[in-house]
Amino acid sequence: MQRALITGITGQDGLYLAESLLAKGYEVHGLIRGQSNPKRPLVERLVPEVHLHAGDLTDQSSLMRVMAAVDPHEVYNLGAVSFVAFSWENARVTSDVTGLGVLNMLEAVRLHCGDDPRRVRFYQASSSEMFGNVYEVPQRETTLLRPRSPYAVSKAYGHHMTINYRESYGMHASSGVLFNHESPRRGIEFVTRKVSRAVARISMGRQQTIAMGNLDAQRDWGFAGDYVEAMWLMLQQPEPDDYVVATGETHSVRELLDAAFGHVGITDWQPHVVLDPAFLRPAEVDVLTGDASKARAVLDWKPKVAFGELVAMMVEADLVAEKADSPY
Ligand code: NAP
Ligand code: F7E
């Protein structure tokens, strides 16, 4: 039986990936941090078959201990401080977890592999944020990085360190450069979920307005359930490599508002949206568009859920959660 270890098991992608690997017949293990992690009950409810192990990406020996206990065939390093806006106010902790945490995990894997560097296959969750103030449109695997936030700088470090371990030690280490992917499980701090939740509440009369930042920012938004399949496909390849994973379609935050409010029959959302400078960032990434043709050609991967369906799915899920008074 194949064994997989997932860091970031409590996050959006960790949960989808765990479900997907369990359905494929894997034994799934997850790294969980903190002495009483508030998300543990959620993981235990959604994926009760997953074995949880205490550890932290900033604590190298905890990672080595978990590697020894699990002896995985595949490691998916999804753990990170992942909210870009938060990373300016917490640049050091972001660097420690999102940047150096990758090195800690790579070292734990390398040491566990001993004389056989390919004993464990490693996936690093890299990000389109690394492209930042983009050098070319669309962005592909060869596009130079120009990160614009402490988060993006930390991801660029982890990305290059993953490539370096692959080239230096011959490890099966791959990096997925994933563009924004969303779902009803997205954290409420991210713009898609913030909007879907607010729209559900506004349509039910529970809230009047939503405070927003830059409505002109544009992102290539896909569905997280589709994207975790690409992660798995990367580790099934005979050779490790880097892949961009994206839809190739870009929409503005304004279009997101159109789609979400439109779904509940509100065509003029202006009275419900308040612009608040608190949500503007010190440096913005204006537009991202991915070219996933390599993933399509090599992995035979393509996204299944389109932007409109994704927004509808998220608003519907928030309507159900609000009606049940049990927000996800
Ligand atoms: P997420 O929901 O924010 O989940 C982040 C996970 O990292 C959580 O499980 C969190 O655990 C864990 N974590 C935080 N600090 C940790 C630490 N010190 N040690 C161990 N684990 C720690 O993120 P996501 O959306 O699922 O994304 C998964 C990964 O893909 C992240 O690395 C993210 O940066 C990257 N990524 C995401 C996107 C996207 O659009 N979603 C795009 C590109 C790349 P707690 O619950 O304990 O905080
Ligand atoms: O912002 C703008 C904001 O926070 C998207 C992470 O998963 O994807 C995510 O990073 C855009 C930005 O995601 C609000 O300025 C406007 O331009 O949903 P977000 P992100 O920063 O793109 C990448 C690929 C990752 O790797 C990250 O881990 O929306 N925006 N008004 C707003 N954003 C937020 N959060 N809140 C607002 O009110």
Side-chain angles (χ1 to χ4, degrees):
M1 189 186 241
Q2 287 288 102
R3 279 183 306 283
L5 172 64
I6 302 173
T7 74
I9 189 77
T10 58
Q12 169 188 257
D13 292 6
L15 289 167
Y16 279 109
L17 180 63
E19 284 173 346
S20 163
L21 294 177
L22 286 167
K24 291 178 182 27
Y26 277 67
E27 181 180 299
V28 180
H29 297 256
L31 183 86
I32 189 154
R33 72 181 171 126
Q35 60 187 43
S36 176
N37 192 311
K39 290 206 184 145
R40 179 184 269 266
L42 177 75
V43 178
E44 288 172 341
R45 179 164 59 80
L46 291 176
V47 279
E49 305 89 341
V50 169
H51 308 267
L52 294 175
H53 303 263
D56 195 299
L57 284 168
T58 61
D59 184 336
Q60 169 90 66
S61 67
S62 74
L63 303 178
M64 291 171 66
R65 198 181 58 245
V66 173
M67 285 298 293
V70 177
D71 189 20
H73 301 93
E74 297 173 5
V75 170
Y76 296 86
N77 187 36
L78 311 186
V81 172
S82 78
F83 187 34
V84 174
F86 177 86
S87 77
W88 275 280
E89 287 153 14
N90 299 271
R92 174 60 198 256
V93 78
T94 304
S95 304
D96 283 346
V97 178
T98 307
L100 285 170
V102 184
L103 174 62
N104 289 339
M105 200 64 239
L106 281 164
E107 266 300 277
V109 171
R110 183 180 76 82
L111 293 170
H112 184 76
C113 283
D115 293 339
D116 177 8
R118 297 217 165 184
R119 176 167 161 197
V120 180
R121 296 184 173 200
F122 179 82
Y123 172 84
Q124 169 56 21
S126 289
S127 164
S128 54
E129 277 295 299
M130 302 188 304
F131 296 123
N133 198 5
V134 300
Y135 277 108
E136 61 176 340
V137 182
Q139 296 83 52
R140 49 180 70 91
E141 292 78 7
T142 50
T143 303
L144 288 179
L145 308 183
R146 203 193 255 176
R148 297 264 286 169
S149 64
Y151 168 79
V153 171
S154 305
K155 280 287 176 191
Y157 171 87
H159 179 66
H160 284 300
M161 199 53 92
T162 302
I163 295 168
N164 182 260
Y165 266 56
R166 177 167 80 219
E167 294 177 351
S168 306
Y169 302 112
M171 285 169 59
H172 195 295
S174 294
S175 179
V177 184
L178 271 53
F179 281 62
N180 298 53
H181 45 280
E182 319 293 316
S183 75
R185 292 178 180 165
R186 189 58 144 149
I188 55 173
E189 64 274 38
F190 299 97
V191 74
T192 51
R193 182 74 199 290
K194 178 173 171 177
V195 167
S196 67
R197 187 159 172 259
V199 164
R201 290 175 59 80
I202 288 169
S203 76
M204 293 167 77
R206 290 187 174 178
Q207 184 177 326
Q208 294 309 310
T209 56
I210 174 174
M212 299 286 300
N214 177 15
L215 304 189
D216 296 319
Q218 296 177 47
R219 290 290 183 275
D220 180 331
W221 278 298
F223 172 51
D226 290 345
Y227 285 38
V228 298
E229 289 308 314
M231 298 176 187
W232 176 76
L233 285 167
M234 285 177 218
L235 296 204
Q236 309 319 305
Q237 301 311 304
E239 294 302 321
D241 208 341
D242 307 317
Y243 297 90
V244 159
V245 176
T247 69
E249 230 186 75
T250 295
H251 296 274
S252 64
V253 175
R254 232 173 262 284
E255 289 174 279
L256 167 67
L257 289 163
D258 284 341
F261 277 102
H263 188 74
V264 295
I266 300 175
T267 44
D268 178 14
W269 45 258
Q270 302 281 355
H272 297 291
V273 174
V274 180
L275 297 183
D276 183 343
F279 293 105
L280 298 176
R281 297 175 179 185
E284 177 65 286
V285 171
D286 296 321
V287 190
L288 289 173
T289 314
D291 174 359
S293 42
K294 179 174 167 185
R296 191 179 285 252
V298 180
L299 307 178
D300 194 23
W301 178 88
K302 60 176 191 299
K304 297 193 182 101
V305 178
F307 174 72
E309 287 173 79
L310 174 64
V311 177
M313 178 204 296
M314 292 179 69
V315 175
E316 277 304 314
D318 274 316
L319 283 167
V320 170
E322 285 294 329
K323 279 177 192 150
D325 266 330
S326 73
Y328 173 80

